[in-house]
Amino acid sequence: MVSFTFSAVALLAALLSTTLAQTHTDCNPLNATGCPNMQALGGNATFHFNDTMSDSIWKEKNAGKIDWSSKGTTFTIEGRGDSPMIQSTFYLFFGRVSVIMKAAAGQGIVSSAILQSECLDEIDWEFLGTNTTHVLTNYFGKGNTTDYTRGKDYPMDPPQEAFHNYTIDWTRERIQWLIDGRMLRELKYEEALGGKNYPQTPMNIRMGVWSGGDVENNDPYTVEWAGGETDFKQAPFTMTVQEVYAQDYTTATEYSWENMDASGAWEKVKVIEPKEGEKSEALQEIEKPHGVRNRWEALSKGAKIAIIASVIGFIVICACFITFCCIKQRRAGRREFAALQAEQNKEAAELLEYKRQMASGKFGYGNQI
Ligand SMILES: *[C@@H]1O[C@H](CO)[C@@H](O)[C@H](O)[C@H]1NC(C)=O
Ligand SMILES: *[C@@H]1O[C@H](CO)[C@@H](O)[C@H](O)[C@H]1NC(C)=O
Ligand SMILES: *[C@@H]1O[C@H](CO)[C@@H](O)[C@H](O)[C@H]1NC(C)=O
Ligand SMILES: *[C@@H]1O[C@H](CO)[C@@H](O)[C@H](O)[C@H]1NC(C)=O
Ligand SMILES: *[C@@H]1O[C@H](CO)[C@@H](O)[C@H](O)[C@H]1NC(C)=O
Ligand SMILES: *[C@@H]1O[C@H](CO)[C@@H](O)[C@H](O)[C@H]1NC(C)=O
């Protein structure tokens, strides 16, 4: 049983770093040069996952349905192949993240809230849809999946039935996983292969749901690990996120890979600090009012009246223009019709005249034929 759990964890790990887009990297700085700078959060922010969220901060990925409502954001698997997720455009370079969420129920359905870097450092919370007694914590250093002791399960109340606060506190010395303020696990730097497998490069936040129990797209071990085959007739399977708190332990505007070497060590990450009195683009974006409704509500009464007046004015102008064009068109049409008729009358008259002249033998040889 234990060995099964271990191999399942390893399989999941392999899966997470290969097939799942959730663990995708566009440019691995350990392999490629010139990977782009990352936007830093450079401060702290609370995101209410409602319909007034900024879509320039949270990017949607993969197939599946994501609904932003006033009650929270839902990630829904409606059928085979769906694995809806979002990821933050900003990165944290050591920091703290709390996700207030409810996991999806359903056989083979896996909900997750993770931190991940472009060179595949990773810190995870994971929930199996039919496991109502345990949550899985995990971590990866540079996508290294060869060690089977990283994943650990912890008992808790059913994560599918109520919202809980899942917090990761990540410093260069240690990682802590907390549920509703209760610490479950602590991992020290040295414990992760003397630091070599310790997550230590800027990470963004990724949350979503996928079906490990999809027998057409996963091997039997993954299906078994995920709790068995998913019956898509039971869909939809929905995970809900209500709030995310993110705190970056630097005040940077950006992080750069320009000094990075094969070590992937935190010392090689370049932290670009803001100029005096400035803040990161992410913080500026977060502080703006978002969503159409929110932006409208933020306007003054005068501005609202001006906008309504210009919209009405615009409609009136359009209506006048269309009417004018129609009248002009009809007049032009009438003129063209009259001209055409005159032309036809003229031709008819000419033909008549020709026939008359033929008959009267006006043309010299007319009668000789
Ligand atoms: C670098 O790229 C090669 C080939 O694409 C791949 O096999 C290797 O795993 C990559 N290394 C890292 C650290 O990503
Ligand atoms: C961010 O951190 C500062 C200082 O630690 C604190 O005063 C502030 O309340 C925090 N903001 C949020 C949104 O939590
Ligand atoms: C949505 O969240 C914002 C804060 O980001 C809050 O001000 C607003 O009241 C919330 N709206 C609803 C409908 O809950
Ligand atoms: C939930 O996970 C724990 C830890 O892996 C395991 O012992 C337990 O049997 C699982 N329960 C179900 C219903 O799968
Ligand atoms: C990956 O982790 C294993 C087990 O901890 C270790 O033996 C191996 O050296 C690591 N590989 C790399 C490339 O760090
Ligand atoms: C979530 O838990 C963390 C850690 O205990 C705590 O600092 C934070 O205030 C909690 N957030 C909410 C919204 O309760």
Side-chain angles (χ1 to χ4, degrees):
M1 188 58 211
V2 168
S3 75
F4 167 72
T5 306
F6 283 171
S7 66
V9 168
L11 267 164
L12 171 72
L15 212 108
L16 281 176
S17 1
T18 54
T19 59
L20 195 62
Q22 200 155 325
T23 53
H24 173 77
T25 176
D26 287 324
C27 188
N28 188 331
L30 302 187
N31 249 358
T33 53
C35 289
N37 284 4
M38 296 154 282
Q39 267 200 48
L41 179 58
N44 53 9
T46 300
F47 301 92
H48 300 280
F49 264 59
N50 64 27
D51 45 8
T52 57
M53 290 280 289
S54 166
D55 51 11
S56 61
I57 295 284
W58 297 96
K59 292 282 175 222
E60 296 183 12
K61 302 264 168 177
N62 306 348
K65 200 164 83 178
I66 300 178
D67 274 338
W68 302 83
S69 81
S70 57
K71 293 192 190 68
T73 295
T74 52
F75 300 73
T76 302
I77 293 178
E78 293 179 301
R80 200 184 298 282
D82 283 359
S83 56
M85 70 160 291
I86 56 169
Q87 63 185 57
S88 67
T89 52
F90 63 79
Y91 290 74
L92 313 171
F93 188 32
F94 301 111
R96 184 182 183 87
V97 172
S98 298
V99 178
I100 314 296
M101 64 168 276
K102 192 164 75 174
Q107 187 154 306
I109 301 297
V110 186
S111 303
S112 65
I114 72 171
L115 301 182
Q116 199 190 30
S117 85
E118 297 308 318
C119 55
L120 305 177
D121 282 345
E122 190 176 322
I123 307 173
D124 298 351
W125 286 108
E126 283 182 299
F127 310 86
L128 304 185
T130 46
N131 196 315
T132 53
T133 58
H134 286 75
V135 55
L136 175 69
T137 62
N138 208 351
Y139 74 92
F140 298 89
K142 318 284 170 272
N144 186 344
T145 57
T146 58
D147 174 359
Y148 305 150
T149 61
R150 288 169 288 98
K152 285 196 193 323
D153 298 299
Y154 291 89
M156 68 170 293
D157 292 339
Q160 303 83 0
E161 280 172 23
F163 285 92
H164 291 280
N165 172 347
Y166 301 94
T167 298
I168 290 167
D169 194 85
W170 171 50
T171 69
R172 63 184 68 149
E173 289 88 26
R174 50 113 190 106
I175 296 165
Q176 294 177 343
W177 285 260
L178 303 96
I179 291 185
D180 301 326
R182 174 171 62 99
M183 191 163 86
L184 299 184
R185 180 178 185 184
E186 183 175 64
L187 174 82
K188 296 217 162 63
Y189 178 87
E190 314 75 55
E191 290 164 357
L193 196 65
K196 210 170 160 224
N197 275 354
Y198 189 79
Q200 54 193 286
T201 50
M203 299 205 263
N204 64 1
I205 305 169
R206 306 176 186 208
M207 296 175 287
V209 63
W210 62 287
S211 26
D214 176 355
V215 288
E216 285 183 17
N217 293 306
N218 296 310
D219 60 68
Y221 298 103
T222 305
V223 173
E224 198 171 344
W225 170 80
E229 177 173 355
T230 298
D231 175 6
F232 288 99
K233 286 207 261 335
Q234 305 291 318
F237 306 109
T238 300
M239 153 182 161
T240 310
V241 173
Q242 232 168 35
E243 190 181 302
V244 171
Y245 171 76
Q247 183 169 2
D248 193 345
Y249 285 163
T250 79
T251 54
T253 54
E254 284 186 348
Y255 301 115
S256 155
W257 297 112
E258 79 184 59
N259 304 329
M260 186 47 73
D261 57 20
S263 71
W266 63 264
E267 293 92 331
K268 304 286 181 184
V269 174
K270 186 171 162 189
V271 176
I272 302 171
E273 291 290 351
K275 294 194 196 78
E276 181 73 26
E278 283 185 2
K279 12 172 126 155
S280 74
E281 269 177 44
L283 283 180
Q284 290 176 40
E285 181 64 32
I286 289 159
E287 282 163 18
K288 276 195 266 176
H290 290 291
V292 172
R293 200 183 60 205
N294 221 1
R295 261 177 235 147
W296 174 251
E297 274 163 12
L299 294 171
S300 70
K301 202 174 165 192
K304 282 181 191 170
I305 289 171
I307 289 174
I308 291 173
S310 3
V311 168
I312 291 173
F314 181 72
I315 291 169
V316 168
I317 289 171
C318 286
C320 289
F321 184 71
I322 289 165
T323 312
F324 172 74
C325 285
C326 283
I327 290 171
K328 217 180 130 187
Q329 198 70 30
R330 270 161 62 184
R331 280 197 187 139
R334 271 207 296 271
R335 270 200 305 274
E336 270 165 35
F337 180 68
L340 188 73
Q341 228 167 18
E343 184 75 8
Q344 279 169 353
N345 289 347
K346 203 173 134 224
E347 275 167 16
E350 274 167 10
L351 186 67
L352 211 68
E353 175 63 10
Y354 171 77
K355 281 185 182 158
R356 201 179 53 78
Q357 287 176 359
M358 280 288 279
S360 69
K362 192 169 179 203
F363 297 110
Y365 45 82
N367 287 339
Q368 288 165 14
I369 297 171

